[in-house]
Structure formats: structure tokens, C-alpha cells
Amino acid sequence: MKFKELKLMNRIHTAGAATADAPEQGTEPMAESLVRKASKSSFYTNQLRLKLSDERLYHFRVYPGQDELHTRVQLGPHLFPKKDRNNIENPLYTAFEEVEAGAADSITVNLRENTRITQRYYRFLLEQYFRKEGFCCRRGDFGELDVFVRQRDKPENPKQPLKLFRLRLRIIAPRAGSGWQLAVAFAGAASMLQMPLSALLSHHSKVSKVVYRDRLLGLNTVRKYFRVPAEELYPLLNRPLAGALGLQQYLRGEQAGFSKHCLYVRGFVIRYLIQGAFKEAFPYADTRNKASFVRLPNSAAVKLDPQNRRLEIGSRYQLEHEGLKSGLPKHGPYLRSAEPVIPCLIVFKQGSDSLVNKLRRFMDQDLSGFMKQGFRIAGVAAFRDAADLTETVEKGLRDLARNGQPAGLVWYISPWGKHDADPQKQQLYHVFKALMARKRLPSQVITEASVRRNMTYYACNLGIKLWFKLHGIPWLPAARQEDTLVMGINTFRKPGDHNRWVAGIMCMSEAKRMMRIGAEEQERLDDLLEAVRLGLAGMRNELLHEDIRKIVVHYYKLLNRKEAAAIRKMLTDFRQDCGKEVTLYLAAITDGCRSDRYIWREEAREGKLHYLPQEPLEAVCTGDDEWMLCTHHKRATGKASGEPNLLQVKLEKLSAAESATGGGAEQLMMSREEQTELLAQLLRFTLLNWKSVLPGTKPLTLTLTGYMARHAANLTDPGTARYFGQGVVNL
């Protein structure tokens, strides 16, 4: 990668800091056992070990408010020790100016103990360093610092925005066995105006909104932060502002793959951070390689057994996931239908009789052959308009029941989609689904536009969804755990409704069919404990009759001490109630593809250094019980990209052992075998998909429960938000 030095005169008011005069920006462009033997290549991660000051106490001047240019750092009461919080009523502001001990309007901070203030202190020093070097910076909301670097030559037309790379820097506090670290990640491309808004608009009165911290805020909000005319700002370009200025063509960001991301990060570190001035302020603790990236030991990587990718369909027939589309029609699903032919009711709008006939032919010729399941049109019901929909459906169901052939599936051919521009017509989808939830009937909504197309194309994915709704998962992993129950929990809050959280809950045994799934209303986001309790209560009979000794909970947040202690006590009560000892494993799962953590191996080819991502079935330990798992390449999900699909996983283990204090919050140690077993299980659940033969990007336990929570939150009748199905899902 070649770099070319360019200079830029620029004034910018972004990220909470503005300059009085335009600085010269000196930026440069950036173009047969559980596991198998892992690769011998060493892994690197985008973090640099720092050797920061060992001085214990610092004395900083503080102010009661922010300065005009918004350069001070806010320190809330929650950042201080509990013994000092009562003395701090309002947030303090500081520029980390050192003063004598005991000086007025000052605070004393132990940087070795108060890591949260220390993170803000070193982020402030990072910002000062890069601004001094002429970079544009932006403070993030979660402790990160964005540094903008020129990626192309300066456009000749000053009205065209500059193309920038956004590098994200984050100070990471010490953990067990490690010191302070600096994480450097590529956060995408950005565009910034070269001229103030007043020069781009003919009338200053048209400057009704500007961009601040990548959001579109009104002028009154901007004046709250800046005591400068809003029309003099040089904002970053976003979609609303680009639309107002007619610059939409400059919004397209850098479509870089994993290797390029690593290249940008390494190039930025070598060119700007391996410098004497930077290392003097932020000395490195590890200088074994040129860029000082943290090198993970070979023992940190494991290779999962390829058997975890095999699935079972039909009469115990096994195949790789790529063969599902052809294997299911030939060998049939894992679960057999209890009813060879399912009676159906078709609901449609008057005047669309031809679409009913086309749907009938599709079910007879395509869908039945793929699903190995027969369908029979028991009745049809036509409604006149939107107001007549619910009454028409109920009348059609009553007529079928009166004739002794109740419907087992309801088709709704909708003239409107759930994303229709008309809010009333859009809500009809949820009205229909709420009615089906009350009736405990599986249903399938398909738009008129979809019926008019070549429906043979939909047979595969539509058949998977119908199998799931009617009978459960149509395939299971070939490698299964007999004594483990898996629970998935996800939450959703409907926009505009701040007092209603809905939790999707799923309980499933790998060795058998799906047992139970549903949704529960919650009052607070942190009500994970209540969701677990409800899930355990719903599964109590299954737990008593099955040989379940372990429960694995998949969730997207970590437990704090209070929550862990409550779950421990809950399991103790459950053990005493049913006479079973149960061990609980918690897996906090996030999308590793969107995280700031990169893991790569370096390989020299033809004199050039290449950056290789993790391979499928490969997991790398990045910390205490923290892993980055590669499940498959994204091309397996139908995308052209060969980038890895990554899951960032944090594992915890709790036991239901009795305690004299009523249950503690201590976390049990996990062996490498236990961790690898849980990672292999996550891989297997990622290959399960409830609406496609392609693998999912996340485990089924999270994708399905997330959809269930969103689905239940939009139901018009609050009473239908709580429902469970024994292997049958009303979606």
C-alpha cells in the first residue's frame, strides 16, 4: 500500500470539539475428538499492549460546566468510588490539567484503581495528540475516539466533500494477566464538507439543521453545544444532509473486505503510531513485531470437529449443510407429519380468484413435493375491504368447523404488505396474526405480488417456514447432546413504547424436536431473570421426564453479580422442587463481524504480506472465557462475499449448589473441554434456520427469539403476547 502526503486547510466542528481557526491537516491517504489440530500459524489481534504510567495519584482541575468549544471531558458521579459519590451532585468537567494536591476545585484520582476515569484520561491524551498532528477527531458515546484520515486526493471542486477513512481507537482497561491495551479498528468510510454550510446554501435561513456527532440535530440543540453560528460548521455528511445539499452520490462508503480492514489498521499503526512522539506518550510493552500487535499463542486456537457441520434428515440420513436443498425433497425432513394431508383455508380479497387457483396449483405441484406433505383446500373466504378482514376469517373458520373439517393452516393472500406505506393497511398484517395467535392456528401470509411471480422459486424457503410452523425443525444436527437443554432469550421494544419490553423465549433439546417457544411481556430490559424463570416453569414437566442435567442459555448480554446470584438461587429452588441437580451455562453472543475486534494470521506470498481471516470451524480465545468463533463463510448464506461469519462469545458457568447465604454469585471455572463443547453447540445451532436452507448468521436460539419478540410486540391484542407452542410456532 502506497501513501502520498497531502496537506489540507480545514476547519471542523465535529465530535464535541471545534477550532477557532482552520488548522493545517497533515493527514495522508490510506488505501475424531471434540477438536482437531488448529493451524500452526500464529494469530494476531488489532490491539497494542501499552506500558502506561505507574504513578498512583493525579490531581486534576475540575469545572462546573462545559467550555465554549466542548473540549472538556464529563465525569459523572457514577465514575467515582461509592464513598465519594454522595459528595458529587452534578457532573464535573475537566481538561485533565494537573494541579497541586489540595488545590481548590480539583479532584484526586488513583489511576491504577479507577480504571473508568483512567480510560477517559488516556482517550483525552489520544485526542490531544492527533489534533496536534492535524487530524480531525470525534469522541464516541462509548469511550472510543474516531480519527479521520484522508483516503483520496483533495477534490478540485471545493463543493465536493472529502473522502475519509474512519479509524476507531479505544483504550482497554487491564484484565487478568494483561495490562492496558490500545485497540485500533477500521470503522468505515466517511465524507466531510470542505466548505461551511453558508457557502453551500444561497440563503442562511435554509440552514435549518446541521450534523453533530453523526446525527441530524436542530439549531437549538447545536447552540447548546457550540457558541458559534451553525452555518459556519463543517459537518460530516450523512443521508439527510446529503439530500438537502444534493450530494447523495458521495454517501457510498468503502466496500472493503476483511483483508483490507486489516491492511488499513496495520498501515495506520505503522505510519502514525510507531513514532517517537507517540511512543513517548504511550509506550509499548511489546515490541517483538514491527506494529506491536498482540500475538495470540497457538494454544488459544481450537479447530472444531467437522462432524459438527453434518445434519440429519429423513430416516437418519446425514449430509452436509450445502446439500439440504436437494436432500430434503429426496429423503424428506427429520420430523414426519402426524397428518398426511392438512386442510387449509385461503383468505383473499374479492376479485382475486385467479390468484387462489395459482396458489392451489403451487401447493399441489411444488410445495407438496418438497415438503413431503399434502395440502387440501377445505374452504375459501373473500373479504371486501380492510375493515371486513377479521370478520371474514372468523366466519370461514366457523364454517369449516361446522362441517367437521377444522382448518389446520390458514393462507392469507394480502393485497397489502406489512411494509405498506399506508399505516392502517400495514397494521392489517399484525391484526391477522393476532387473530391467529388467539385461535392457536399456524398461518402464512403471502402478498398478491408474490403469487403473481414464479412461485416455484419460493418452494424451498416457504416450505421450510411451513414445516417449522406445522411440525418443528425439519432437520437436526448429526452430533447431539442428550443431557442438555438449550434456552434462547432475546428482547425487543417497540419504537415509541418505552414501557413495554417483550422477551422471546425458546427451549429446545438438541436430541429431540423443539419443545417450547413463545413470548413474554417484560417491564424492564434487565428482566432476564423473570424470562428464565418463566422458561423453566414452562419446561418443568419436560425436565422432570427427560435426562436433563445441563441448561445452556444463549443471550446477548452479560449477567451482573446481582442477576447471577438470583439465577443461582433460582436453580437451587428448582433442584429442591424437582429433585434434580442442574448446571447452568450462560453464553453471551454478539455479532463478531460488527465488533471492533479483528483476528488474523499473516502469511507471506510472493514477497507480499497477506492477512488471512479465521477459517470455518475455528475458534480463538481472546480473553478469560471469551472467544471469537468462525461458523462458516458468508458465501454459504448466498452472498458473494467470502468473508468469515464471526460470533463473539462470552461464556459463564453457574451451579445450583446450596449456599448458607441463599445462593452466591461466584462463577465456576470452566475447563477447555467444556468451553469447546459449548462452542461446537453454537456452531450447530447456527446451521439451524427456521426460514431457509441456508445457515444463519447467528444461532437459531437468538434469531428466532428475536423475531418472536418483535412479532409479539406488534400484536394488536396485548393478551396474545404471552403464548407458547409445543413444537408449533405461530409466526
Side-chain angles (χ1 to χ4, degrees):
M1 181 173 57
K2 296 182 179 179
F3 295 86
K4 179 181 177 182
E5 184 172 355
L6 292 171
K7 299 291 184 179
L8 167 67
M9 298 296 293
N10 180 35
R11 283 175 60 198
I12 182 171
H13 295 279
T14 60
T19 54
D21 297 312
E24 183 174 358
Q25 179 159 334
T27 59
E28 303 178 3
M30 303 263 296
E32 298 154 331
S33 57
L34 189 60
V35 299
R36 300 295 178 90
K37 189 175 181 181
S39 172
K40 294 183 179 180
S41 303
S42 296
F43 285 94
Y44 294 89
T45 184
N46 58 322
Q47 295 178 355
L48 302 96
R49 290 192 179 96
L50 302 179
K51 187 178 180 181
L52 302 181
S53 174
D54 292 332
E55 187 174 346
R56 290 179 176 272
L57 297 179
Y58 279 80
H59 309 282
F60 299 124
R61 184 179 303 281
V62 294
Y63 302 88
Q66 188 60 268
D67 62 344
E68 292 187 0
L69 299 180
H70 204 73
T71 56
R72 295 171 185 163
V73 177
Q74 178 178 306
L75 303 178
H78 66 284
L79 299 177
F80 294 88
K82 290 184 178 180
K83 57 185 178 66
D84 299 331
R85 292 178 187 174
N86 295 332
N87 300 326
I88 304 175
E89 298 181 358
N90 300 313
L92 301 176
Y93 296 85
T94 180
F96 294 106
E97 305 160 283
E98 293 189 45
V99 297
E100 297 292 334
D105 297 327
S106 67
I107 58 171
T108 301
V109 180
N110 188 331
L111 294 184
R112 299 186 66 180
E113 295 180 359
N114 196 327
T115 56
R116 291 187 291 184
I117 291 184
T118 306
Q119 285 177 299
R120 287 160 173 78
Y121 169 63
Y122 284 112
R123 185 186 69 170
F124 180 81
L125 294 184
L126 277 174
E127 181 182 357
Q128 296 301 306
Y129 172 82
F130 283 108
R131 287 193 180 279
K132 184 179 179 181
E133 295 296 319
F135 289 88
C136 300
C137 300
R138 185 187 76 89
R139 295 179 196 165
D141 297 327
F142 301 98
E144 69 274 11
L145 176 70
D146 288 350
V147 179
F148 296 89
V149 183
R150 179 96 58 78
Q151 66 166 293
R152 292 192 181 95
D153 295 345
K154 180 179 178 181
E156 295 182 1
N157 186 354
K159 293 187 177 181
Q160 295 181 3
L162 291 172
K163 292 293 184 179
L164 306 171
F165 282 136
R166 188 195 307 243
L167 278 301
R168 182 157 294 166
L169 281 66
R170 187 191 303 273
I171 296 289
I172 301 177
R175 294 180 294 183
S178 67
W180 288 93
Q181 294 181 348
L182 172 63
V184 184
F186 176 72
S191 300
M192 185 185 70
L193 298 180
Q194 297 188 73
M195 303 174 64
L197 289 176
S198 59
L200 296 175
L201 297 173
S202 56
H203 300 287
H204 290 188
S205 60
K206 293 184 179 180
V207 187
S208 59
K209 293 182 178 180
V210 297
V211 175
Y212 174 72
R213 288 191 178 180
D214 285 353
R215 298 182 180 89
L216 203 65
L217 302 176
L219 283 181
N220 293 334
T221 308
V222 174
R223 292 193 182 102
K224 177 182 176 181
Y225 293 104
F226 298 123
R227 297 177 184 175
V228 295
E231 58 268 17
E232 294 302 317
L233 301 184
Y234 291 69
L236 293 172
L237 203 61
N238 67 1
R239 191 170 301 278
L241 184 61
L245 300 176
L247 300 173
Q248 295 93 330
Q249 67 272 25
Y250 299 105
L251 280 177
R252 187 172 182 178
E254 175 71 16
Q255 302 296 319
F258 178 87
S259 298
K260 272 198 171 183
H261 287 197
C262 297
L263 188 68
Y264 296 153
V265 169
R266 192 174 187 276
F268 176 79
V269 170
I270 291 177
R271 178 154 293 272
Y272 301 117
L273 305 190
I274 309 298
Q275 304 292 337
F278 185 85
K279 289 193 291 186
E280 183 179 347
F282 301 91
Y284 295 143
D286 185 4
T287 57
R288 288 177 295 177
N289 59 81
K290 186 176 181 181
S292 300
F293 288 113
V294 172
R295 182 176 180 176
L296 302 175
N298 293 338
S299 58
V302 297
K303 190 78 171 181
L304 301 178
D305 192 330
Q307 183 67 15
N308 289 286
R309 288 194 300 193
R310 295 191 67 81
L311 302 173
E312 187 175 310
I313 62 173
S315 301
R316 303 190 65 83
Y317 179 80
Q318 293 189 13
L319 46 65
E320 293 289 337
H321 198 282
E322 290 76 7
L324 267 179
K325 189 170 184 178
S326 58
L328 279 172
K330 182 178 179 180
H331 300 280
Y334 175 81
L335 298 173
R336 293 296 181 181
S337 172
E339 299 181 23
V341 179
I342 295 180
C344 303
L345 172 67
I346 299 182
V347 181
F348 64 99
K349 194 173 186 299
Q350 289 181 357
S352 303
D353 303 70
S354 60
L355 299 181
V356 176
N357 295 329
K358 187 175 181 181
L359 180 59
R360 186 198 306 268
R361 291 193 299 271
F362 169 72
M363 286 190 288
D364 293 340
Q365 299 173 8
D366 300 310
L367 201 57
S368 297
F370 178 82
M371 295 180 60
K372 305 295 183 184
Q373 167 70 66
F375 296 95
R376 177 173 57 86
I377 309 300
V380 295
F383 61 93
R384 297 185 303 274
D385 49 34
D388 189 37
L389 175 62
T390 302
E391 182 180 349
T392 301
V393 175
E394 291 183 335
K395 182 178 182 302
L397 293 174
R398 286 196 303 267
D399 292 343
L400 292 181
R402 190 181 303 114
N403 296 331
Q405 46 181 359
L409 174 66
V410 179
W411 289 83
Y412 168 36
I413 304 178
S414 173
W416 317 286
K418 60 180 178 180
H419 303 295
D420 196 279
D422 188 342
Q424 293 183 347
K425 295 177 180 178
Q426 183 184 117
Q427 192 64 18
L428 286 177
Y429 172 87
H430 303 298
V431 171
F432 173 77
K433 286 296 185 179
L435 174 61
M436 293 297 100
R438 291 194 300 269
K439 300 291 185 181
R440 298 295 193 270
L441 276 175
S443 60
Q444 180 60 48
V445 179
I446 186 168
T447 63
E448 291 183 352
S450 298
V451 177
R452 290 190 177 96
R453 299 191 189 104
N454 182 10
M455 293 192 67
T456 304
Y457 178 78
Y458 306 125
C460 180
N461 289 347
L462 189 57
I464 296 300
K465 284 199 284 188
L466 285 176
W467 252 109
F468 189 85
K469 296 177 183 182
L470 294 167
H471 312 298
I473 292 290
W475 61 79
L476 286 180
R480 303 194 288 266
Q481 293 177 309
E482 301 289 337
D483 63 341
T484 303
L485 178 73
V486 182
M487 295 183 62
I489 302 175
N490 213 329
T491 57
F492 176 77
R493 182 178 65 180
K494 189 175 181 179
D497 191 349
H498 300 287
N499 300 318
R500 186 190 179 200
W501 286 93
V502 178
I505 307 170
M506 167 183 167
C507 300
M508 177 180 177
S509 170
E510 261 195 306
K512 303 184 182 301
R513 63 182 293 177
M514 177 172 295
M515 292 183 177
R516 201 165 293 259
I517 185 168
E520 292 284 347
E521 282 195 35
Q522 307 290 342
E523 294 181 356
R524 297 184 301 112
L525 174 62
D526 296 332
D527 282 344
L528 170 64
L529 304 181
E530 182 66 10
V532 173
R533 185 189 68 79
L534 291 169
L536 285 174
M539 290 298 298
R540 184 179 182 278
N541 293 334
E542 288 82 353
L543 287 169
L544 289 175
H545 291 88
E546 299 293 338
D547 188 22
I548 299 297
R549 298 297 176 185
K550 295 183 292 185
I551 300 177
V552 182
V553 179
H554 296 168
Y555 197 56
Y556 68 91
K557 74 180 286 287
L558 299 177
L559 296 182
N560 56 38
R561 294 182 178 181
K562 181 179 178 181
E563 292 170 334
I567 284 188
R568 182 186 175 96
K569 185 177 185 306
M570 184 189 307
L571 290 173
T572 301
D573 296 340
F574 179 80
R575 182 187 65 82
Q576 294 173 348
D577 183 35
C578 64
K580 295 187 67 171
E581 180 71 31
V582 180
T583 302
L584 179 69
Y585 296 90
L586 302 173
I589 307 164
T590 56
D591 187 354
C593 300
R594 298 188 178 184
S595 72
D596 291 341
R597 172 67 69 92
Y598 303 149
I599 296 177
W600 71 86
R601 61 167 63 89
E602 298 178 359
E603 181 178 298
R605 297 176 184 173
E606 299 178 354
K608 294 183 179 180
L609 195 61
H610 293 263
Y611 304 90
L612 307 179
Q614 290 177 246
E615 299 175 352
L617 304 177
E618 204 165 48
V620 179
C621 183
T622 59
D624 295 335
D625 299 330
E626 294 183 3
W627 293 82
M628 187 72 80
L629 170 65
C630 179
T631 58
H632 54 270
H633 282 146
K634 288 190 175 181
R635 66 169 63 95
T637 61
K639 298 181 180 179
S641 170
E643 300 300 318
N645 184 71
L646 302 172
L647 297 178
Q648 198 166 359
V649 185
K650 169 69 175 177
L651 301 175
E652 297 183 50
K653 177 182 178 182
L654 297 174
S655 175
E658 294 188 37
S659 172
T661 59
E666 53 189 291
Q667 182 179 343
L668 301 180
M669 294 295 294
M670 296 181 64
S671 65
R672 179 57 64 91
E673 290 73 18
E674 287 179 299
Q675 297 181 51
T676 308
E677 185 179 273
L678 294 176
L679 293 172
Q681 185 188 74
L682 283 175
L683 170 66
R684 295 193 294 268
F685 271 82
T686 305
L687 300 180
L688 301 178
N689 200 331
W690 68 275
K691 59 179 181 178
S692 173
V693 294
L694 301 175
T697 56
K698 292 182 182 178
L700 176 74
T701 44
L702 293 186
T703 56
L704 181 58
T705 51
Y707 187 89
M708 286 291 297
R710 294 193 302 272
H711 175 68
N714 285 291
L715 295 181
T716 54
D717 184 0
T720 60
R722 172 177 295 184
Y723 62 93
F724 282 87
Q726 185 69 23
V728 178
V729 185
N730 190 333
L731 292 177

